[in-house]
Amino acid sequence: MNISDPLTASSPGPRDNCPPFDIDTIRSQFPILQRRIHGHPLAYLDNAATSQKPRAVIDAIQKYYLQHNANVHRGVYQLSEEATHDYEASRDKVQRFINARERAEIIFVRGTTEAINLVAHSFAKPRLNPGDEILISTLEHHSNIVPWQIICQQTGAQLRVIPISDAGEIDTTAVDTLLKPNCRLLSLTHVSNTLGTINPIQQMIRQAHQHGIPVLIDGAQAVPHLQIDVQTLDADFYAFSGHKVYGPTGIGVLYGKREILEQMQPYQGGGDMISEVTFEQTEYNELPYRFEAGTPNIAGAIGLGCALDYLDAIGLQQISRHEQSLLDYATQALSAIRGLRLIGTARNKAGILSFVMDAAHAHDVSTVLDQAGVAIRAGHHCTMPLMARLGVAATARASLALYNNRTDIDALAAGLQEVKRMFK
Amino acid sequence: MNQELRELYQEVIIDHGRHPRNFKVLEDHTHCQKGYNPLCGDRLQLYLRVRPGPQPVIEEASFDGEGCAISMASASLLTESLKGKTPEEAKTLFQQFHQLLTGGGDNTQTDLGKLQVLTGVRAFPTRIKCATLAWHALLGALDQGENKPDNWVSTE
Protein backbone atom coordinates (compact mmCIF):
# COMPACT_ATOMS: atom_id res chain seq x y z
CA MET A 1 0.00 0.00 0.00
CA ASN A 2 1.29 3.47 -0.81
CA ILE A 3 1.91 5.88 2.03
CA SER A 4 -0.90 8.07 0.78
CA ASP A 5 -3.57 5.50 0.03
CA PRO A 6 -6.05 7.43 -2.13
CA LEU A 7 -8.93 5.38 -0.78
CA THR A 8 -8.41 6.81 2.64
CA ALA A 9 -6.57 10.00 1.80
CA SER A 10 -9.65 11.52 0.18
CA SER A 11 -12.13 10.14 2.67
CA PRO A 12 -13.22 12.26 5.60
CA GLY A 13 -14.38 9.18 7.48
CA PRO A 14 -17.23 6.70 7.55
CA ARG A 15 -20.77 7.96 7.83
CA ASP A 16 -22.68 6.24 10.55
CA ASN A 17 -26.21 6.90 9.32
CA CYS A 18 -26.20 4.56 6.31
CA PRO A 19 -28.23 1.35 6.30
CA PRO A 20 -26.30 -1.87 5.64
CA PHE A 21 -25.32 -2.43 2.03
CA ASP A 22 -27.86 -4.79 0.49
CA ILE A 23 -27.04 -5.61 -3.11
CA ASP A 24 -30.46 -7.10 -3.94
CA THR A 25 -32.25 -3.97 -2.74
CA ILE A 26 -29.88 -1.81 -4.71
CA ARG A 27 -30.34 -3.87 -7.88
CA SER A 28 -34.11 -3.59 -7.56
CA GLN A 29 -33.76 0.20 -7.65
CA PHE A 30 -32.29 0.12 -11.19
CA PRO A 31 -35.17 -0.74 -13.57
CA ILE A 32 -32.91 -1.50 -16.55
CA LEU A 33 -31.33 -4.41 -14.68
CA GLN A 34 -34.62 -6.27 -15.19
CA ARG A 35 -33.97 -6.42 -18.93
CA ARG A 36 -32.99 -9.58 -20.71
CA ILE A 37 -30.51 -9.36 -23.56
CA HIS A 38 -30.56 -12.13 -26.16
CA GLY A 39 -32.53 -14.21 -23.68
CA HIS A 40 -30.10 -13.71 -20.80
CA PRO A 41 -30.24 -11.46 -17.74
CA LEU A 42 -28.32 -8.24 -18.40
CA ALA A 43 -24.85 -8.19 -16.84
CA TYR A 44 -23.97 -4.55 -17.39
CA LEU A 45 -20.20 -4.16 -17.04
CA ASP A 46 -19.56 -1.01 -19.06
CA ASN A 47 -19.93 1.41 -16.19
CA ALA A 48 -16.78 3.33 -17.00
CA ALA A 49 -18.53 4.38 -20.22
CA THR A 50 -21.78 5.30 -18.52
CA SER A 51 -23.72 4.10 -15.52
CA GLN A 52 -27.34 2.99 -15.30
CA LYS A 53 -29.85 5.20 -13.49
CA PRO A 54 -31.81 4.43 -10.33
CA ARG A 55 -35.58 4.88 -10.38
CA ALA A 56 -35.24 7.94 -8.12
CA VAL A 57 -33.18 9.80 -10.73
CA ILE A 58 -35.53 8.88 -13.57
CA ASP A 59 -38.49 10.00 -11.45
CA ALA A 60 -36.82 13.29 -10.47
CA ILE A 61 -36.25 14.19 -14.12
CA GLN A 62 -39.78 13.23 -15.04
CA LYS A 63 -41.22 15.16 -12.10
CA TYR A 64 -39.38 18.27 -13.15
CA TYR A 65 -40.90 18.16 -16.63
CA LEU A 66 -44.34 17.14 -15.38
CA GLN A 67 -44.61 19.73 -12.62
CA HIS A 68 -41.90 22.38 -12.46
CA ASN A 69 -40.60 23.10 -15.96
CA ALA A 70 -39.73 26.77 -16.46
CA ASN A 71 -36.55 28.70 -17.14
CA VAL A 72 -34.35 29.48 -14.18
CA HIS A 73 -33.13 32.77 -12.69
CA ARG A 74 -35.57 35.02 -14.55
CA GLY A 75 -39.26 34.30 -14.21
CA VAL A 76 -41.29 36.16 -11.62
CA TYR A 77 -43.80 33.41 -11.21
CA GLN A 78 -44.12 30.27 -9.17
CA LEU A 79 -42.96 27.69 -11.70
CA SER A 80 -39.77 29.57 -12.40
CA GLU A 81 -39.14 29.95 -8.70
CA GLU A 82 -39.60 26.20 -8.25
CA ALA A 83 -37.29 25.36 -11.13
CA THR A 84 -34.67 27.81 -9.87
CA HIS A 85 -34.97 26.43 -6.36
CA ASP A 86 -34.48 22.82 -7.47
CA TYR A 87 -31.64 23.71 -9.85
CA GLU A 88 -29.78 25.67 -7.18
CA ALA A 89 -30.50 23.02 -4.55
CA SER A 90 -28.55 20.62 -6.76
CA ARG A 91 -25.60 22.97 -6.65
CA ASP A 92 -25.71 22.78 -2.86
CA LYS A 93 -25.82 19.00 -3.07
CA VAL A 94 -22.74 18.92 -5.29
CA GLN A 95 -20.97 21.30 -2.95
CA ARG A 96 -21.65 19.05 0.03
CA PHE A 97 -20.88 15.88 -1.93
CA ILE A 98 -17.34 16.92 -2.81
CA ASN A 99 -16.97 19.14 0.27
CA ALA A 100 -16.32 22.38 -1.57
CA ARG A 101 -15.98 25.44 0.65
CA GLU A 102 -18.81 27.33 -1.00
CA ARG A 103 -21.52 26.89 -3.60
CA ALA A 104 -20.08 29.57 -5.87
CA GLU A 105 -17.24 27.16 -6.61
CA ILE A 106 -19.58 24.69 -8.33
CA ILE A 107 -20.07 25.35 -12.05
CA PHE A 108 -22.53 23.24 -14.00
CA VAL A 109 -21.20 22.18 -17.39
CA ARG A 110 -22.12 19.49 -19.93
CA GLY A 111 -19.60 17.01 -18.60
CA THR A 112 -15.96 16.46 -17.75
CA THR A 113 -14.92 17.25 -21.32
CA GLU A 114 -16.51 20.68 -21.22
CA ALA A 115 -15.06 21.32 -17.77
CA ILE A 116 -11.54 20.63 -19.02
CA ASN A 117 -12.09 22.78 -22.10
CA LEU A 118 -13.34 25.57 -19.85
CA VAL A 119 -10.17 25.47 -17.76
CA ALA A 120 -8.03 25.22 -20.90
CA HIS A 121 -9.57 28.30 -22.49
CA SER A 122 -10.43 30.49 -19.50
CA PHE A 123 -7.59 29.67 -17.15
CA ALA A 124 -4.64 28.23 -19.04
CA LYS A 125 -4.68 29.94 -22.40
CA PRO A 126 -4.35 33.57 -21.18
CA ARG A 127 -1.46 32.51 -18.94
CA LEU A 128 0.53 30.56 -21.51
CA ASN A 129 3.56 31.88 -23.36
CA PRO A 130 5.76 30.14 -25.92
CA GLY A 131 8.01 27.70 -24.08
CA ASP A 132 5.60 27.21 -21.17
CA GLU A 133 4.46 23.68 -20.40
CA ILE A 134 1.28 21.83 -19.52
CA LEU A 135 1.87 18.52 -17.75
CA ILE A 136 -0.40 15.50 -18.12
CA SER A 137 0.15 11.75 -17.69
CA THR A 138 0.27 8.77 -20.06
CA LEU A 139 -2.99 7.54 -18.51
CA GLU A 140 -5.13 10.39 -19.77
CA HIS A 141 -8.37 10.10 -21.72
CA HIS A 142 -8.41 12.01 -25.03
CA SER A 143 -10.53 14.65 -23.29
CA ASN A 144 -7.56 15.47 -21.08
CA ILE A 145 -5.11 15.53 -24.01
CA VAL A 146 -6.76 17.20 -26.98
CA PRO A 147 -7.92 20.44 -25.25
CA TRP A 148 -4.30 21.01 -24.16
CA GLN A 149 -2.99 20.31 -27.64
CA ILE A 150 -5.41 22.88 -29.02
CA ILE A 151 -4.29 25.64 -26.67
CA CYS A 152 -0.62 24.64 -27.01
CA GLN A 153 -0.98 25.16 -30.76
CA GLN A 154 -2.54 28.55 -30.14
CA THR A 155 0.04 29.75 -27.62
CA GLY A 156 3.29 27.99 -28.51
CA ALA A 157 3.28 26.11 -25.22
CA GLN A 158 4.37 22.47 -24.98
CA LEU A 159 2.57 19.40 -23.70
CA ARG A 160 4.65 17.17 -21.41
CA VAL A 161 3.71 13.67 -20.32
CA ILE A 162 4.47 11.83 -17.06
CA PRO A 163 5.51 8.25 -17.87
CA ILE A 164 3.94 5.14 -16.33
CA SER A 165 5.19 1.70 -15.34
CA ASP A 166 4.13 -1.47 -17.18
CA ALA A 167 1.64 -2.07 -14.38
CA GLY A 168 0.00 1.24 -15.25
CA GLU A 169 1.20 3.30 -12.30
CA ILE A 170 2.46 6.83 -12.58
CA ASP A 171 6.20 7.16 -12.23
CA THR A 172 6.16 9.53 -9.26
CA THR A 173 9.94 9.85 -9.29
CA ALA A 174 9.71 11.43 -12.74
CA VAL A 175 7.15 13.97 -11.58
CA ASP A 176 9.53 16.24 -9.69
CA THR A 177 11.80 16.67 -12.70
CA LEU A 178 8.78 17.43 -14.91
CA LEU A 179 7.41 20.06 -12.51
CA LYS A 180 9.68 22.73 -13.92
CA PRO A 181 9.41 26.49 -13.37
CA ASN A 182 7.88 26.94 -16.83
CA CYS A 183 5.15 24.36 -16.10
CA ARG A 184 1.85 26.25 -15.79
CA LEU A 185 -0.59 23.46 -14.96
CA LEU A 186 -0.72 19.79 -14.01
CA SER A 187 -3.84 18.12 -15.41
CA LEU A 188 -4.23 14.59 -14.18
CA THR A 189 -6.82 11.86 -14.05
CA HIS A 190 -7.83 10.65 -10.60
CA VAL A 191 -8.69 7.15 -11.85
CA SER A 192 -7.65 5.73 -15.24
CA ASN A 193 -10.71 4.90 -17.34
CA THR A 194 -8.78 2.17 -19.17
CA LEU A 195 -6.77 0.50 -16.40
CA GLY A 196 -8.52 1.51 -13.19
CA THR A 197 -5.30 2.85 -11.65
CA ILE A 198 -6.04 5.19 -8.75
CA ASN A 199 -3.42 7.90 -8.90
CA PRO A 200 -1.91 9.25 -5.67
CA ILE A 201 -3.37 12.64 -6.46
CA GLN A 202 -3.17 14.11 -2.99
CA GLN A 203 0.58 13.55 -2.96
CA MET A 204 0.94 14.83 -6.52
CA ILE A 205 -1.12 17.94 -5.84
CA ARG A 206 1.16 18.65 -2.88
CA GLN A 207 4.23 18.14 -5.07
CA ALA A 208 2.86 20.47 -7.75
CA HIS A 209 1.94 23.12 -5.19
CA GLN A 210 5.47 23.03 -3.78
CA HIS A 211 6.51 24.25 -7.22
CA GLY A 212 3.65 26.76 -7.33
CA ILE A 213 1.86 24.83 -10.06
CA PRO A 214 -1.95 24.58 -10.02
CA VAL A 215 -3.65 21.23 -10.57
CA LEU A 216 -6.78 20.12 -12.44
CA ILE A 217 -8.08 16.66 -11.58
CA ASP A 218 -10.23 14.71 -14.06
CA GLY A 219 -12.51 12.93 -11.61
CA ALA A 220 -14.88 11.34 -14.12
CA GLN A 221 -13.92 7.79 -13.08
CA ALA A 222 -13.38 8.57 -9.40
CA VAL A 223 -16.54 10.26 -8.17
CA PRO A 224 -18.77 7.16 -8.53
CA HIS A 225 -16.35 5.04 -6.50
CA LEU A 226 -14.39 7.14 -3.99
CA GLN A 227 -15.39 9.75 -1.49
CA ILE A 228 -14.05 13.06 -2.74
CA ASP A 229 -13.05 15.94 -0.54
CA VAL A 230 -11.68 18.73 -2.70
CA GLN A 231 -10.49 20.69 0.32
CA THR A 232 -8.48 17.81 1.76
CA LEU A 233 -7.10 17.09 -1.71
CA ASP A 234 -6.42 20.82 -2.14
CA ALA A 235 -7.26 20.47 -5.86
CA ASP A 236 -7.44 23.77 -7.71
CA PHE A 237 -9.96 22.33 -10.18
CA TYR A 238 -11.89 19.07 -10.05
CA ALA A 239 -14.12 17.92 -12.92
CA PHE A 240 -16.65 15.12 -13.24
CA SER A 241 -19.64 13.96 -15.29
CA GLY A 242 -23.17 13.31 -14.10
CA HIS A 243 -23.84 10.28 -16.24
CA LYS A 244 -20.98 8.24 -14.79
CA VAL A 245 -22.26 8.82 -11.28
CA TYR A 246 -25.81 7.46 -11.85
CA GLY A 247 -27.14 10.81 -13.09
CA PRO A 248 -28.24 11.85 -16.58
CA THR A 249 -26.05 12.68 -19.59
CA GLY A 250 -25.38 16.27 -20.57
CA ILE A 251 -24.61 17.53 -17.06
CA GLY A 252 -21.31 17.71 -15.26
CA VAL A 253 -19.41 19.76 -12.74
CA LEU A 254 -16.35 21.91 -12.68
CA TYR A 255 -15.19 22.71 -9.17
CA GLY A 256 -12.69 25.54 -8.93
CA LYS A 257 -11.24 27.44 -6.00
CA ARG A 258 -12.96 30.80 -5.72
CA GLU A 259 -9.75 32.81 -5.77
CA ILE A 260 -8.80 31.19 -9.08
CA LEU A 261 -12.25 31.36 -10.67
CA GLU A 262 -12.42 35.05 -9.82
CA GLN A 263 -9.34 35.72 -11.92
CA MET A 264 -10.74 33.91 -14.96
CA GLN A 265 -12.58 35.41 -17.90
CA PRO A 266 -15.75 33.67 -19.14
CA TYR A 267 -15.45 30.79 -21.57
CA GLN A 268 -18.73 31.45 -23.34
CA GLY A 269 -20.88 34.57 -23.53
CA GLY A 270 -24.64 34.76 -23.50
CA GLY A 271 -27.62 35.08 -21.23
CA ASP A 272 -27.45 34.41 -17.50
CA MET A 273 -23.70 35.08 -17.29
CA ILE A 274 -24.05 38.88 -17.31
CA SER A 275 -25.16 41.49 -14.86
CA GLU A 276 -25.37 44.39 -17.31
CA VAL A 277 -25.01 44.57 -21.08
CA THR A 278 -24.74 47.65 -23.30
CA PHE A 279 -23.47 47.66 -26.87
CA GLU A 280 -20.26 49.21 -25.56
CA GLN A 281 -19.49 46.71 -22.80
CA THR A 282 -20.70 43.95 -20.56
CA GLU A 283 -20.38 43.47 -16.86
CA TYR A 284 -20.19 39.81 -15.98
CA ASN A 285 -22.35 38.10 -13.41
CA GLU A 286 -20.89 36.83 -10.14
CA LEU A 287 -19.61 33.29 -9.59
CA PRO A 288 -20.63 30.70 -10.58
CA TYR A 289 -23.10 32.18 -13.10
CA ARG A 290 -20.37 33.94 -15.05
CA PHE A 291 -19.40 30.51 -16.40
CA GLU A 292 -22.92 29.28 -17.12
CA ALA A 293 -23.95 31.10 -20.28
CA GLY A 294 -27.38 30.30 -21.69
CA THR A 295 -30.21 28.21 -20.32
CA PRO A 296 -28.56 25.39 -18.42
CA ASN A 297 -29.48 21.70 -18.37
CA ILE A 298 -31.99 22.21 -15.58
CA ALA A 299 -33.45 18.71 -15.56
CA GLY A 300 -29.91 17.31 -15.80
CA ALA A 301 -28.73 19.24 -12.75
CA ILE A 302 -31.80 18.14 -10.80
CA GLY A 303 -31.20 14.52 -11.84
CA LEU A 304 -27.56 14.78 -10.81
CA GLY A 305 -28.52 16.21 -7.41
CA CYS A 306 -30.88 13.28 -6.94
CA ALA A 307 -28.14 10.81 -7.92
CA LEU A 308 -25.78 12.30 -5.34
CA ASP A 309 -28.51 12.05 -2.69
CA TYR A 310 -28.91 8.41 -3.67
CA LEU A 311 -25.19 7.73 -3.25
CA ASP A 312 -25.08 9.64 0.01
CA ALA A 313 -27.86 7.49 1.42
CA ILE A 314 -25.88 4.33 0.62
CA GLY A 315 -22.54 5.84 1.58
CA LEU A 316 -19.42 6.02 -0.57
CA GLN A 317 -17.48 4.04 2.00
CA GLN A 318 -19.83 1.10 1.63
CA ILE A 319 -19.84 1.44 -2.15
CA SER A 320 -16.03 1.46 -2.28
CA ARG A 321 -15.89 -1.59 -0.05
CA HIS A 322 -18.42 -3.50 -2.16
CA GLU A 323 -16.68 -2.62 -5.42
CA GLN A 324 -13.23 -3.46 -4.08
CA SER A 325 -14.46 -6.84 -2.93
CA LEU A 326 -16.06 -7.46 -6.32
CA LEU A 327 -12.88 -6.29 -8.06
CA ASP A 328 -10.89 -8.85 -6.06
CA TYR A 329 -13.38 -11.55 -7.01
CA ALA A 330 -13.30 -10.56 -10.69
CA THR A 331 -9.52 -10.30 -10.75
CA GLN A 332 -9.28 -13.84 -9.41
CA ALA A 333 -11.90 -15.13 -11.84
CA LEU A 334 -10.20 -13.60 -14.85
CA SER A 335 -6.69 -14.51 -13.73
CA ALA A 336 -7.80 -18.14 -13.64
CA ILE A 337 -8.59 -18.09 -17.37
CA ARG A 338 -5.63 -19.37 -19.35
CA GLY A 339 -4.73 -17.27 -22.35
CA LEU A 340 -6.15 -14.14 -20.74
CA ARG A 341 -3.85 -11.31 -19.72
CA LEU A 342 -4.95 -8.47 -17.46
CA ILE A 343 -3.71 -5.08 -18.65
CA GLY A 344 -3.20 -2.71 -15.74
CA THR A 345 -2.18 -4.24 -12.46
CA ALA A 346 -1.66 -1.20 -10.26
CA ARG A 347 -1.65 -1.74 -6.50
CA ASN A 348 -4.44 0.81 -6.04
CA LYS A 349 -7.23 0.14 -8.50
CA ALA A 350 -10.86 1.03 -8.92
CA GLY A 351 -13.25 -1.55 -10.39
CA ILE A 352 -11.93 -1.65 -13.94
CA LEU A 353 -10.50 -4.78 -15.58
CA SER A 354 -8.86 -4.40 -18.99
CA PHE A 355 -7.65 -7.56 -20.66
CA VAL A 356 -6.58 -9.22 -23.89
CA MET A 357 -7.02 -12.83 -24.91
CA ASP A 358 -4.78 -15.02 -27.03
CA ALA A 359 -7.85 -16.65 -28.55
CA ALA A 360 -9.67 -13.62 -29.86
CA HIS A 361 -9.57 -9.90 -30.49
CA ALA A 362 -11.39 -7.65 -28.04
CA HIS A 363 -14.21 -6.95 -30.51
CA ASP A 364 -14.89 -10.61 -31.06
CA VAL A 365 -14.83 -11.11 -27.29
CA SER A 366 -17.37 -8.32 -26.87
CA THR A 367 -19.69 -9.69 -29.57
CA VAL A 368 -19.70 -13.18 -28.05
CA LEU A 369 -20.27 -11.78 -24.54
CA ASP A 370 -23.14 -9.62 -25.76
CA GLN A 371 -24.94 -12.73 -26.96
CA ALA A 372 -24.72 -13.97 -23.38
CA GLY A 373 -26.18 -10.71 -22.02
CA VAL A 374 -22.81 -9.40 -20.85
CA ALA A 375 -22.09 -5.78 -21.86
CA ILE A 376 -18.43 -4.77 -21.86
CA ARG A 377 -16.37 -2.29 -23.87
CA ALA A 378 -13.79 -3.18 -26.50
CA GLY A 379 -11.34 -0.88 -28.20
CA HIS A 380 -8.93 1.87 -27.23
CA HIS A 381 -11.25 3.49 -24.67
CA CYS A 382 -10.37 6.99 -25.92
CA THR A 383 -6.81 6.50 -24.65
CA MET A 384 -4.88 5.81 -27.83
CA PRO A 385 -1.51 7.12 -26.53
CA LEU A 386 -1.86 4.84 -23.49
CA MET A 387 -2.60 1.86 -25.74
CA ALA A 388 0.51 2.67 -27.76
CA ARG A 389 2.56 2.81 -24.53
CA LEU A 390 1.21 -0.58 -23.48
CA GLY A 391 1.75 -2.04 -26.94
CA VAL A 392 -1.83 -3.19 -27.47
CA ALA A 393 -4.21 -2.05 -30.21
CA ALA A 394 -7.35 -2.79 -28.25
CA THR A 395 -8.42 -4.29 -24.94
CA ALA A 396 -11.67 -5.68 -23.63
CA ARG A 397 -12.76 -3.81 -20.52
CA ALA A 398 -15.18 -4.77 -17.79
CA SER A 399 -15.97 -1.95 -15.38
CA LEU A 400 -17.94 -2.26 -12.16
CA ALA A 401 -20.62 -0.24 -10.44
CA LEU A 402 -22.33 -0.43 -7.09
CA TYR A 403 -25.14 -2.64 -8.49
CA ASN A 404 -22.88 -5.33 -9.94
CA ASN A 405 -22.73 -8.66 -8.16
CA ARG A 406 -20.86 -11.95 -8.36
CA THR A 407 -23.48 -13.32 -10.75
CA ASP A 408 -22.42 -10.65 -13.26
CA ILE A 409 -18.78 -11.68 -12.88
CA ASP A 410 -19.67 -15.35 -13.21
CA ALA A 411 -21.56 -14.56 -16.44
CA LEU A 412 -18.49 -12.71 -17.71
CA ALA A 413 -16.17 -15.59 -16.86
CA ALA A 414 -18.52 -18.15 -18.45
CA GLY A 415 -18.77 -15.99 -21.57
CA LEU A 416 -14.98 -15.83 -21.80
CA GLN A 417 -14.81 -19.63 -21.63
CA GLU A 418 -17.27 -19.67 -24.53
CA VAL A 419 -14.95 -17.33 -26.44
CA LYS A 420 -12.10 -19.78 -25.91
CA ARG A 421 -14.22 -22.67 -27.15
CA MET A 422 -15.30 -20.78 -30.27
CA PHE A 423 -11.86 -19.51 -31.22
CA LYS A 424 -9.76 -22.47 -30.19
CA MET B 1 -23.82 -20.77 -28.76
CA ASN B 2 -26.82 -19.31 -30.55
CA GLN B 3 -27.58 -19.52 -34.25
CA GLU B 4 -26.62 -15.92 -35.07
CA LEU B 5 -23.21 -16.29 -33.44
CA ARG B 6 -22.67 -19.56 -35.28
CA GLU B 7 -23.42 -17.85 -38.57
CA LEU B 8 -21.16 -14.92 -37.75
CA TYR B 9 -18.20 -17.00 -36.68
CA GLN B 10 -18.31 -19.75 -39.27
CA GLU B 11 -15.28 -21.98 -39.41
CA VAL B 12 -14.03 -20.28 -42.56
CA ILE B 13 -14.02 -16.92 -40.79
CA ILE B 14 -12.26 -18.21 -37.71
CA ASP B 15 -9.74 -19.95 -39.96
CA HIS B 16 -9.08 -16.87 -42.10
CA GLY B 17 -9.08 -14.65 -39.03
CA ARG B 18 -6.45 -16.80 -37.39
CA HIS B 19 -4.45 -17.67 -40.50
CA PRO B 20 -5.08 -14.86 -42.96
CA ARG B 21 -4.06 -15.61 -46.55
CA ASN B 22 -1.84 -13.21 -48.49
CA PHE B 23 -0.79 -11.63 -45.20
CA LYS B 24 2.40 -9.90 -46.29
CA VAL B 25 3.84 -6.72 -47.68
CA LEU B 26 3.78 -6.87 -51.48
CA GLU B 27 7.18 -5.42 -52.32
CA ASP B 28 6.47 -4.79 -56.00
CA HIS B 29 3.00 -3.37 -55.51
CA THR B 30 1.60 -0.74 -57.82
CA HIS B 31 -1.09 0.38 -55.37
CA CYS B 32 -1.24 0.47 -51.61
CA GLN B 33 -3.77 1.93 -49.24
CA LYS B 34 -4.00 2.12 -45.48
CA GLY B 35 -7.38 1.54 -43.90
CA TYR B 36 -8.32 2.60 -40.41
CA ASN B 37 -11.39 2.18 -38.25
CA PRO B 38 -11.10 4.96 -35.67
CA LEU B 39 -13.88 3.51 -33.53
CA CYS B 40 -11.98 0.37 -32.65
CA GLY B 41 -8.43 1.04 -33.76
CA ASP B 42 -8.29 -1.67 -36.44
CA ARG B 43 -5.64 -0.85 -39.01
CA LEU B 44 -4.54 -2.56 -42.16
CA GLN B 45 -2.70 -1.87 -45.36
CA LEU B 46 -3.84 -3.32 -48.67
CA TYR B 47 -1.38 -3.89 -51.53
CA LEU B 48 -2.20 -4.51 -55.19
CA ARG B 49 -0.04 -5.26 -58.18
CA VAL B 50 -1.98 -4.20 -61.24
CA ARG B 51 -0.68 -5.11 -64.69
CA PRO B 52 -0.95 -1.91 -66.69
CA GLY B 53 -2.11 -1.67 -70.27
CA PRO B 54 -5.34 -1.22 -72.16
CA GLN B 55 -6.79 -4.15 -70.16
CA PRO B 56 -5.37 -3.73 -66.64
CA VAL B 57 -5.63 -6.77 -64.37
CA ILE B 58 -5.01 -7.22 -60.63
CA GLU B 59 -2.25 -9.81 -60.65
CA GLU B 60 -1.54 -9.91 -56.94
CA ALA B 61 -3.20 -8.67 -53.74
CA SER B 62 -2.02 -8.81 -50.15
CA PHE B 63 -2.49 -7.06 -46.82
CA ASP B 64 -1.06 -6.70 -43.36
CA GLY B 65 -2.33 -5.12 -40.20
CA GLU B 66 -4.12 -5.79 -36.96
CA GLY B 67 -7.76 -6.27 -36.12
CA CYS B 68 -10.58 -8.56 -35.10
CA ALA B 69 -11.44 -11.91 -36.67
CA ILE B 70 -14.07 -10.31 -38.90
CA SER B 71 -11.81 -7.61 -40.34
CA MET B 72 -8.87 -9.98 -40.81
CA ALA B 73 -11.01 -12.71 -42.41
CA SER B 74 -12.75 -10.23 -44.67
CA ALA B 75 -9.41 -8.79 -45.82
CA SER B 76 -8.03 -12.28 -46.35
CA LEU B 77 -11.02 -13.37 -48.42
CA LEU B 78 -10.91 -10.13 -50.36
CA THR B 79 -7.30 -10.59 -51.42
CA GLU B 80 -8.12 -14.13 -52.55
CA SER B 81 -11.02 -12.98 -54.68
CA LEU B 82 -9.23 -10.05 -56.32
CA LYS B 83 -6.63 -11.94 -58.28
CA GLY B 84 -7.36 -11.94 -62.00
CA LYS B 85 -10.04 -9.27 -61.79
CA THR B 86 -9.92 -5.98 -63.65
CA PRO B 87 -10.17 -2.84 -61.48
CA GLU B 88 -13.69 -2.33 -62.82
CA GLU B 89 -14.68 -5.86 -61.81
CA ALA B 90 -13.18 -5.24 -58.37
CA LYS B 91 -15.30 -2.13 -57.92
CA THR B 92 -18.41 -4.09 -58.94
CA LEU B 93 -17.45 -6.72 -56.38
CA PHE B 94 -17.26 -3.98 -53.73
CA GLN B 95 -20.82 -2.91 -54.56
CA GLN B 96 -22.09 -6.47 -54.45
CA PHE B 97 -20.31 -7.17 -51.19
CA HIS B 98 -21.64 -3.99 -49.63
CA GLN B 99 -25.16 -4.97 -50.64
CA LEU B 100 -24.64 -8.43 -49.22
CA LEU B 101 -23.85 -6.91 -45.79
CA THR B 102 -26.29 -4.05 -45.67
CA GLY B 103 -29.13 -5.52 -47.69
CA GLY B 104 -29.46 -2.16 -49.43
CA GLY B 105 -30.19 -1.52 -53.08
CA ASP B 106 -30.97 -4.19 -55.64
CA ASN B 107 -30.69 -7.35 -53.64
CA THR B 108 -31.00 -9.88 -56.43
CA GLN B 109 -28.73 -12.57 -55.14
CA THR B 110 -25.39 -12.46 -56.83
CA ASP B 111 -23.40 -15.50 -55.84
CA LEU B 112 -20.25 -14.13 -54.22
CA GLY B 113 -18.82 -17.58 -53.64
CA LYS B 114 -16.65 -17.85 -50.57
CA LEU B 115 -17.45 -14.27 -49.58
CA GLN B 116 -20.96 -15.45 -48.72
CA VAL B 117 -19.59 -16.64 -45.37
CA LEU B 118 -19.60 -13.02 -44.24
CA THR B 119 -23.39 -12.78 -44.65
CA GLY B 120 -23.72 -13.48 -40.92
CA VAL B 121 -22.39 -9.99 -40.20
CA ARG B 122 -25.77 -8.61 -41.30
CA ALA B 123 -27.23 -9.58 -37.94
CA PHE B 124 -24.52 -7.55 -36.16
CA PRO B 125 -24.79 -3.91 -37.33
CA THR B 126 -21.97 -2.83 -35.02
CA ARG B 127 -19.59 -5.17 -36.83
CA ILE B 128 -20.30 -4.21 -40.45
CA LYS B 129 -17.46 -1.69 -40.41
CA CYS B 130 -15.08 -4.45 -39.36
CA ALA B 131 -16.10 -6.46 -42.42
CA THR B 132 -15.82 -3.54 -44.84
CA LEU B 133 -12.53 -2.02 -43.69
CA ALA B 134 -10.35 -3.79 -46.26
CA TRP B 135 -12.94 -3.08 -48.93
CA HIS B 136 -12.81 0.64 -48.32
CA ALA B 137 -9.05 0.36 -48.61
CA LEU B 138 -9.59 -1.40 -51.95
CA LEU B 139 -11.63 1.50 -53.30
CA GLY B 140 -9.03 3.93 -52.01
CA ALA B 141 -6.25 1.98 -53.71
CA LEU B 142 -8.06 1.87 -57.03
CA ASP B 143 -8.86 5.59 -56.88
CA GLN B 144 -5.27 6.37 -56.09
CA GLY B 145 -4.86 8.58 -59.11
CA GLU B 146 -6.70 11.24 -57.15
CA ASN B 147 -5.34 10.41 -53.70
CA LYS B 148 -1.98 10.69 -52.15
CA PRO B 149 -0.82 7.15 -51.46
CA ASP B 150 -0.09 7.83 -47.79
CA ASN B 151 -3.59 8.96 -46.91
CA TRP B 152 -5.68 6.76 -44.68
CA VAL B 153 -9.13 5.71 -45.75
CA SER B 154 -11.42 5.58 -42.82
CA THR B 155 -14.62 3.68 -42.19
CA GLU B 156 -16.02 6.90 -40.73
Side-chain angles (χ1 to χ4, degrees), chain A residues 267-286:
Chain A
Y267 170 44
Q268 292 172 335
D272 227 27
M273 53 78 72
I274 50 85
S275 58
E276 187 173 11
V277 178
T278 65
F279 281 119
E280 287 70 41
Q281 62 165 13
T282 290
E283 198 174 310
Y284 302 130
N285 203 342
E286 60 186 11

Side-chain angles (χ1 to χ4, degrees), chain A residues 1 7 13 31 42 76-77 124 140 142 148 179 185 222 226 242 245 253 259 341 343 347 353 381 405 408 411 416:
Chain A
M1 218 29 100
L7 269 176
L42 168 63
V76 189
Y77 52 89
E140 304 310 319
H142 294 164
W148 307 117
L179 291 168
L185 183 76
L226 309 171
V245 64
V253 170
E259 55 270 30
R341 183 162 62 96
I343 308 285
R347 282 160 295 175
L353 299 109
H381 318 294
N405 58 14
D408 293 334
L416 295 174

Side-chain angles (χ1 to χ4, degrees), chain A residues 28-31 53-62 306 310:
Chain A
S28 72
Q29 289 159 346
F30 287 80
K53 319 306 172 198
R55 167 78 69 189
V57 168
I58 299 167
D59 287 349
I61 294 166
Q62 194 182 25
C306 179
Y310 178 82

Side-chain angles (χ1 to χ4, degrees), chain A residues 38 358-361 363-368 370-371 378-380 384 392-394 418 422-424, chain B residues 1-2 4-5 8-9 14 18 36 38-43 66-70 124 126-127 130:
Chain A
H38 302 298
D358 295 339
H361 186 275
H363 283 90
D364 300 312
V365 172
S366 182
T367 291
V368 175
D370 177 49
Q371 294 294 311
H380 50 61
M384 291 171 83
V392 289
E418 177 72 20
M422 282 183 68
F423 290 89
K424 65 172 181 271
Chain B
M1 194 203 313
N2 67 27
E4 283 181 343
L5 261 192
L8 178 66
Y9 292 116
I14 290 183
R18 176 144 299 211
Y36 176 46
L39 289 183
C40 60
D42 284 4
R43 291 166 193 271
E66 191 173 0
C68 62
I70 307 293
F124 296 84
T126 57
R127 304 302 301 276
C130 307

